[in-house]
Structures are given as structure tokens and as C-alpha cells.
Amino acid sequence: MAGCVSRVELSVSCRSLLDRDLGSRSDPLCVLQQDAGGGQWAELDRTERIKNCQNPEFCKKLVVDYYFEKVQKLKFGVYDIDNKSFDLNDDDYLGGIECTLGQVVSSSVFTRPLELRQGKPAGKGTITISAEEIKDTRVVYLEIEARNLDKKDFLGKSDPFLEFYKQSDVGTWQLVYRSEVVIKNNLNPCWRKFSVPLQTFCGGDFNKPIKVQCADHDSDGSHDLIGTCETSLTQMQKASDSSPVEFECIHPEKKQKKKSYKNSGIIRVKSCKIETEYSFLDYVMGGCQINFTVGVDFTGSNGDPKSPDSLHYISPDGINEYLIAIWSVGSVVQDYDTDKLFPAFGFGAQVPPSWQVSHEFALNFNPSNPYCQGIQGIVDAYRQILPQIRLYGPTNFSPIINHVARFAAHSAQQGAASQYFILLIITDGEITDLDQTRQAIVNASQLPMSIIIVGVGEADFKAMEFLDGDNGVLKSPTGEPAARDIVQFVPFRQFRNAPRETLSQMVLAEVPKQLVSYYKWKGWPPVKLPEIKMT
């Protein structure tokens, strides 16, 4: 396993962005992608969207693992977002840059002109990126409310939101948090509990000055200042349920003009707690085993394995798309499993001796011990079983998802971050039991497991893309939403001419986030706790 040197947090701001909206300014968002090889780019992170702004200072930091020994090509793209879709293809491109992470981390401030394409500048637009190593995994959780804020709107009360700034070493103020939800028409708002990494919030210095700014939100971007106050994490930590810490919210101009001016309201810190947030590597190094299971589609739509047109046809050099998918994903995952014993199943075929259709038969024909020794063991079992079964149908995913879910549920009962399950399903895409599969995925979303679907062949994979919750939360047929997004789908055809590692990078990109989100949701720390990394 390659050792990640450190995690790096990138702050992004832009100046003089192109204006793509009629009647208002653009609503920009910045997306960070990393070169995954073979002309493919994998999204790593994205900032929030800022409404009506040509000079955005993005609050959300982009986090990337920094490997000294790799040339990590990055692409920063700025888009004007005019809808709620996650997909960027229907949004206006405001410009971007390509660079390496090494260039960014070796510059204290990295500024470049934005380009619409190579050699074509995006007007006068520029992007500025600064990097900071994350040395601390602690997180600040805050609950804040306000009382008696000034009324700023002519026809109604104020629509207040908060911004937090930390003071840099040279005395300038850097935005570290902006409240997501603007509370409409309320002079006594109570904001939702929120969290900010300690390193972002104050660089790990509990006495570093923090400026809290409260403003009245205007949809055209011309927000009105209500007032500010200065504090520090040390002061805010004194807050408790029975005794909040209070600060006067002061508007500097009003204070200067009016002798009788007291304040523009009171900011109250109800709770300020510091907790440790664990990473994927914390869990893996802390003893979490990743269990890998393979499900192979043996339905009739794949074609007769003896025919060169079949997706199961093994070419003279001994491969097909099913085998490449097993190798590329399995070779990465096997490093995280100590016993290297992987259960492998087929579905959708008639199997001997009864020739009944089965939707979860062991590739080694041993139902009581379906484990294969290493990835080579899965490949050998696949090759041996092909001539012994009849491809049939229908294409049912739910039995094999429920099979792995039973093991994941048993592990979850232990109440520890000791085992996580990855199910790789390789299919030609003609899914039959969509409703049962939706229900199985929603159930599995509450368990320590992730599902990777690789689509082989030229089929229409709309059903698979629907199961991958990137365009919204997947729901069961009864309307129950998935607790978290656990499905990652990729069509193999996008990677036919790319290096083998490209497929594994794309399909496994989401797994670390999915694993961490599950254990965070459960509140389970790593089995073996990491040494606390202090600044």
C-alpha cells in the first residue's frame, strides 16, 4: 500500500469571472479533478456554489492526498451553476486550469489566468489556490444563535447568515466557514449545528483571533452587514448547555455615528466541542478488514461463451471484459484483506445437476465454502465453470446483494469498525428485478458495505446509472431513502483503451468516503486508535 505523505487542503478564490447569466451575475462553483490516466479525469472534490458573484472566495476547502513520489495532475474547473443537478454538462464553463499538486504546494500563493481551452483566456478571469497541510484530524462542532439583530430589510425582518474568519500570520482575515442556511425573516435566529476542521478553523491555535460576521442575505449578492465580533476558540469553549457564551454584535459605522449605540444584537455560542475525525487510512491501519465479494452475470444476453461475439468469450490471449474487471478491481482491494480468501458467485444461469436457474451459485460449485484463494483463484474458478453451465436469465441483482448484506449485518452487530464489505457486480446491464434491487440497496445502505457495478458490453445502462445515487438520493419502491450513497457504477467501454489501473481508480474512488461516512454515522472509532497528530 503506497504511503500517503500527507493530506493537503486547498483554498480557492477567483477574480473577474465571465458573466454568463442574463440580468444577474454568475453563480460559480469550483470542481477539482485528478488525472486518472488514459485521458480520464476523476472528480476529487468540489466547493460550494456562491450566488451572484464574479469574485468568489470559496469557503469549502478542497482536500487531496499528496504523494511526493507521484506527478499528480490536477484540473480546476469553474462552472456557473443554474440548476440542482450534480452533473456539470448542462452548466456554463467559466474557465479552468491544469497544473500539478507539486506546483501548488511549492508556491505560497498560486495564481493563474483561467482558460476556456488551451490558449483561449476566459476574459480577465484568474484563479488563486493556496495549500495547507492538514496536520490535525480534530474537528470543531458549534451551535450558535443570535438575539435582537438589527432589522435590515425595508419590507421584512433580516435574513441573517454567519461567516467565520481566522486571522493569518500577517494579520489578514481568511474565510473559514459560511452558514449554509440563511434563516429568513428572523431577528432571533438559531443556526443548525455545524462543524469545521480544527486546522481550517484556527490552524490548531486555540487563542488565534476569530472574527464572526453576521450579515443580512440579499439574493443579488449585495449582503448588508449587521455586525461583527471577535473571539477565540478558547473563549467559545466556555459555552455549556446552561450557560452560553455571549458576544455583542457591533456595526463599526453605527458605533462611530451614534453615541447612544449599544450593539446590533447578541451572538450566543450555545455549544463548542472538539472531536477527532478519522480518515480511511486511520480505519485501515487501525485493523479494519475489507472483504471483497464478486458477482458475475451469466445471463443469456451475454451470448454463447463459445462465440467470439459473446461477452464471456475468452480471447486467445486469455482475457475478456469480465476478467479484466475482476483483475483491475481485485488487485487493489486484495491488499486490504489479510486472508486473501474471496467469495465469488454467479447469477442468472442454469447449473448442474438439476439445471435450475440460480441467482447466487458459488463459482467453485461449493456452496458451503465459496471462497477462492486470491484474485487468481476467482479467475481460475470463472474459467472452469464457463463450460459447465447454461447461460439463461433473468438478471436478478437482489439475491447476491442480500447475501453479502447478511454478512455485513452480522459484522455490524459487533459494534466495531472491524470489517467492511465490497461487492463487485459485473453485468451486461439488462436488470430484471429493479424494485427488489432498489430495496436491497436501501437496506444495505445502513450496513458496512459498498457496491461497485461494472457494466460490460454495449447495452443501455440507464438502470445502473439510476442505482448510482449521484443525481439524487436513491429511494426504495415504498419511498424510503438510502441512508448514504453506496453504489458506484462505471461502464467498462469508457476504459477499453486506458491503462488497467484507470478502471480501478475510478470504481474505487468512492469507497474510502463511503467507509468513513458509515463509521462516522455509527460513531465508531478505529479498532486501534491512531496516535493523536498535534500541530
Side-chain angles (χ1 to χ4, degrees):
M1 195 176 79
C4 172
V5 174
S6 62
R7 305 196 83 204
V8 170
E9 198 176 60
L10 304 176
S11 299
V12 180
S13 61
C14 299
R15 291 288 173 268
S16 307
L17 291 178
L18 290 171
D19 207 346
R20 295 291 198 203
D21 287 354
L22 289 170
S24 67
R25 291 188 287 274
S26 293
D27 306 330
L29 167 153
C30 181
V31 173
L32 171 62
Q33 293 177 302
Q34 184 163 346
D35 183 10
Q40 298 286 327
W41 292 86
E43 181 175 328
L44 292 182
D45 211 349
R46 57 174 68 186
T47 66
E48 79 280 19
R49 163 197 183 211
I50 297 180
K51 282 189 167 183
N52 289 317
C53 189
Q54 283 174 279
N55 301 304
E57 183 179 7
F58 296 105
C59 175
K60 184 181 182 301
K61 310 303 177 194
L62 304 174
V63 177
V64 56
D65 289 338
Y66 167 61
Y67 296 89
F68 177 73
E69 69 276 17
K70 288 185 186 176
V71 176
Q72 289 172 271
K73 291 182 186 168
L74 303 179
K75 186 191 280 187
F76 293 83
V78 184
Y79 293 83
D80 174 22
I81 307 294
D82 287 321
N83 54 45
K84 291 185 177 172
S85 152
F86 193 83
D87 188 359
L88 298 166
N89 290 326
D90 52 2
D91 299 304
D92 288 324
Y93 186 53
L94 302 179
I97 63 161
E98 288 184 27
C99 60
T100 68
L101 185 54
Q103 286 173 309
V104 176
V105 297
S106 59
S107 316
S108 52
V109 176
F110 183 81
T111 300
R112 289 287 184 276
L114 289 166
E115 293 187 332
L116 291 171
R117 58 177 182 273
Q118 198 160 7
K120 183 171 175 22
K124 294 180 179 175
T126 63
I127 186 166
T128 297
I129 304 150
S130 58
E132 194 172 355
E133 185 181 348
I134 301 176
K135 307 185 193 76
D136 201 318
T137 56
R138 289 170 295 173
V139 177
V140 183
Y141 286 85
L142 283 160
E143 284 184 81
I144 303 221
E145 63 184 15
R147 291 285 176 268
N148 305 318
L149 294 176
D150 281 357
K151 178 174 176 290
K152 287 285 181 183
D153 291 347
F154 180 67
L155 293 171
K157 298 170 182 169
S158 296
D159 306 325
F161 69 98
L162 290 177
E163 290 182 326
F164 285 73
Y165 295 82
K166 70 178 173 191
Q167 195 167 38
S168 72
D169 296 337
V170 291
T172 56
W173 293 102
Q174 186 184 7
L175 179 69
V176 295
Y177 175 78
R178 180 187 290 123
S179 61
E180 275 181 51
V181 180
V182 173
I183 298 182
K184 294 278 187 188
N185 227 12
N186 194 332
L187 302 180
N188 299 293
C190 183
W191 287 276
R192 231 175 21 204
K193 184 178 181 180
F194 64 91
S195 65
V196 186
L198 186 71
Q199 184 70 22
T200 304
F201 195 73
C202 61
D205 179 352
F206 284 50
N207 295 311
K208 187 185 277 283
I210 300 290
K211 180 167 77 172
V212 184
Q213 187 164 292
C214 185
D216 171 35
H217 183 273
D218 284 324
S219 55
D220 64 3
S222 62
H223 313 308
D224 300 317
L225 177 67
I226 295 173
T228 65
C229 59
E230 269 189 49
T231 179
S232 68
L233 191 54
T234 301
Q235 283 179 286
M236 288 192 277
Q237 276 190 291
K238 293 173 184 168
S240 66
D241 293 339
S242 55
S243 135
V245 175
E246 298 190 345
F247 304 98
E248 286 189 301
C249 195
I250 303 296
H251 192 294
E253 287 176 22
K254 284 190 176 179
K255 188 178 179 184
Q256 248 179 347
K257 285 179 186 168
K258 285 187 187 173
K259 282 189 178 172
S260 60
Y261 175 79
K262 281 182 73 178
N263 59 52
S264 295
I266 303 290
I267 302 285
R268 306 176 80 204
V269 180
K270 290 165 46 181
S271 163
C272 174
K273 293 190 169 68
I274 292 165
E275 296 175 14
T276 298
E277 196 145 279
Y278 300 107
S279 69
F280 175 68
L281 287 179
D282 285 335
Y283 283 107
V284 168
M285 292 170 172
C288 183
Q289 289 288 300
I290 293 181
N291 299 277
F292 180 51
T293 303
V294 176
V296 178
D297 180 340
F298 288 109
T299 54
S301 51
N302 283 279
D304 180 354
K306 297 188 195 73
S307 163
D309 300 336
S310 169
L311 293 165
H312 280 297
Y313 175 74
I314 297 177
S315 67
D317 56 355
I319 59 165
N320 62 25
E321 292 187 1
Y322 280 92
L323 286 170
I324 293 171
I326 291 168
W327 264 120
S328 54
V329 178
S331 57
V332 174
V333 175
Q334 68 178 349
D335 289 344
Y336 300 91
D337 188 325
T338 48
D339 66 13
K340 305 282 186 286
L341 290 171
F342 305 117
F345 298 92
F347 58 90
Q350 293 176 321
V351 294
S354 66
W355 300 105
Q356 292 290 306
V357 174
S358 171
H359 296 293
E360 47 171 312
F361 57 90
L363 284 195
N364 63 5
F365 279 149
N366 185 347
S368 61
N369 183 13
Y371 296 92
C372 300
Q373 182 65 55
I375 303 307
Q376 186 62 51
I378 301 176
V379 170
D380 293 344
Y382 168 82
R383 285 181 170 144
Q384 284 163 18
I385 202 174
L386 260 180
Q388 302 181 59
I389 57 173
R390 293 180 194 148
L391 274 57
Y392 206 73
T395 309
N396 291 353
F397 280 14
S398 58
I400 193 165
I401 293 172
N402 291 330
H403 177 101
V404 175
R406 285 194 291 276
F407 286 89
H410 179 72
S411 171
Q413 285 170 2
Q414 317 300 312
S418 56
Q419 296 202 62
Y420 195 85
F421 294 78
I422 294 175
L423 169 60
L424 169 64
I425 297 176
I426 313 168
T427 178
D428 73 340
E430 305 288 336
I431 186 168
T432 313
D433 66 336
L434 189 57
D435 280 357
Q436 292 93 324
T437 295
R438 282 165 63 194
Q439 186 65 57
I441 291 170
V442 168
N443 295 347
S445 72
Q446 303 190 35
L447 297 169
M449 69 180 277
S450 293
I451 300 166
I452 293 163
I453 303 172
V454 174
V456 295
E458 303 300 326
D460 174 6
F461 289 117
K462 284 225 163 36
M464 304 299 139
E465 285 160 2
F466 171 69
L467 296 175
D468 184 336
D470 281 353
N471 292 323
V473 177
L474 177 73
K475 291 183 177 166
S476 73
T478 57
E480 181 191 356
R484 53 199 188 91
D485 178 12
I486 63 165
V487 177
Q488 176 76 351
F489 164 75
V490 294
F492 184 90
R493 56 179 173 243
Q494 289 182 2
F495 302 92
R496 271 196 197 120
N497 303 315
R500 292 273 175 93
E501 63 270 17
T502 312
L503 175 66
S504 57
Q505 283 174 9
M506 285 296 278
V507 296
L508 295 170
E510 300 291 320
V511 169
K513 273 188 261 186
Q514 291 170 356
L515 180 147
V516 170
S517 74
Y518 176 77
Y519 291 130
K520 185 179 176 184
W521 178 53
K522 285 292 188 181
W524 296 346
V527 175
K528 194 173 76 204
L529 289 172
E531 293 173 29
I532 298 290
K533 300 182 278 291
M534 296 292 189
T535 50

